[in-house]
Amino acid sequence: MSNKIHSLSGYLYEYQKSIANPEEFWADVAERFYWRKSWDKVLEWNFEEPKIQWFINGKLNITENIFERHLFTLANKTAIIWEANDPNEPAIHLTYKQLYEKVGQFANTLKNLNVQKGDRVIIYLPMIPEAVVAMLACARIGAIHSVVFAGFSANSLTDRINDCGAKVVITADGSYRGAKTFPLKSIVDEAVEKCKSIEKVVVFQRTHETVSMVAGRDIWWHDATAGVSTHNEAEEMDSEDMLFILYTSGSTGKPKGVVHTTGGYMVYTQYTFENVFQYKPEDIFWCTADIGWITGHSYIVYAPLLSGATVVMYEGVPTYPHNGRFWEVIDKHKVTHFYTAPTAIRALEALGTDPIQPYSLKSLKVLGSVGEPINVEAWQWYHTHIGKGRCPIVDTWWQTETGGMLISPLAGITPTKPSFATLPLCGVQPVIVDDKGNELKGNNVEGNLCIKFPFPSMLRTTYGDHERCRQTYFSTFKGLYFTGDGARRDEDGYYRILGRVDDVINVSGHRLGTAEVENAINEHPLVIESAVVGYPHDIKGQGIFAYVICDSSVTPDRYENIKNSILITVTKVIGAIAKPDKILFVSGLPKTRSGKIMRRILRKIAEGDANNLGDITTLLNPEIVEEIKQKAGL
Ligand code: WT7
């Protein structure tokens, strides 16, 4: 295929081209795809509104680019290898033709359920092939999918459904994750009670547990699809028509619906997949992310399938039924590319090397890391014990909002340095600015990471609230997209991502807003106020530290009980991923004279560092700091 980079000099050459003339560069990449009608203009943009449009007036359907474009050559190639939670359940191999037929059939089914172009559909499913089928069926008919990670609570699901006004929820009776099952259908039932827009709930039968079906609203997947034609003519979409909404947390308020559109997302994700992973047609690609996150959207579903690749999709968890399960799956399906998160690497590293011994891992060619900064030790362990010293590691930095990877080595091409995401991909123009927004030019600088020029897969808006998009990403530093991350550019021009500089914490690669977790804790009837900060955690990257003020009637002997019930509250309001790791009961929080919580102090104490709290004399209540230090055992 064209546009594929094969060498470091090739990268440098292509990168210069992509910066000197972005429109020409991306038009050249986009021409490889199947457009029913070509674009009139490649790009229009300004970061003030913001307004970002790529491949203007181009007409296409992304699923035609997955299926029709490949079917002559790839009909019998495996698209998805599905590995069940239970190793005794046989793996499923779906060819491109079989997947195409399932997508066509489910697309027709959605139409039968009165889903039309532009309607929103919520997908709340386990990691099963039907999740991919449901996403692509939406894209096929021009419905906008919003996948919600099936670990989120009913309450979180309600919020997302109501924010986007979804018509349909696609779910399963339950899901298997390790030794546990989760009752997805009853979570949906509870969620949908408060959602006026929902007309239908489609239920895939996975665990065969008994569920209640509401007449007229709920329908089994197998009944809805029975006898439905597999032939479906794809809807013609505009390049800038919405493809999906994906909710993600920020520093304020409820999660926002990041909007991605069709043409730019397709072109950019596929381009980055092929180049970063140096994909070849015989490769077997396994990304361990859940489909409910952007990593799953872009690098399990869209980019690999647009490339005609074979992907492994795994239903379960890394350590079930034994600690070597990941490595077993790699050997079993001859995985060549393994893409996971540092938190998983650290958790597996903590188990020692015994679980790896029975497996050869000889099929592996490339390893990937995503979701949070990878520490040098975890990088070395991954390189030595999983990659056996011979597989390049691509540390890929990007975000829900960017749709695709932005800063990453190209596997085997860009010389790597542990803990560095290295260099920007073609078309990506990162800048580092100080707190006043001055660009820090040259090397050996550190500051706020921004992007100064659009790339095809960047977010277009936040659903239903464009002003929020402008405020969050385009107003902090004039004329720039602000990522929320801090970064350092070293003496070689390599980027090292330092983590979030806003009130977002990254727990096991899951993104949470501190305000969101505080609001959940505050739902507890005995909690008056709380403050949440991140602190360094050996496995999770960051842990959640909550300072909680209880009602004055509460005596210390009840703290243990209240701790437990706070965890239950948070699980109910958000989901288990947001449960605090540490809760400290305090009688007050350090506040500025304007009433703002001084998080800097709370962060230091959570880190266990009581000596460098900085100036606390400007606080409204400096005496509280001593109390908190003591209670934290410092
Ligand atoms: C945040 C985005 C990208 C898909 C998964 C997470 C952090 C992501 C890296 C990396 C250091 C990273 C950043 C970013 N992050 N990848 N390779 N090195 N940090 O997507 O939930 O939107 O979170 O994850 O802080 O802003 P997300």
Side-chain angles (χ1 to χ4, degrees), residues 161-162 166 192-199:
I161 294 171
N162 287 337
V192 167
E193 261 174 42
K194 299 189 206 92
C195 305
K196 290 202 187 69
S197 60
I198 292 298
E199 294 174 10

Side-chain angles (χ1 to χ4, degrees), residues 577-599:
I577 56 174
K579 281 197 292 194
D581 299 275
K582 290 187 186 164
I583 295 176
L584 189 68
F585 293 102
V586 294
S587 70
L589 295 165
K591 288 196 177 163
T592 62
R593 283 174 212 275
S594 59
K596 245 185 108 190
I597 297 170
M598 267 264 221
R599 284 169 196 282

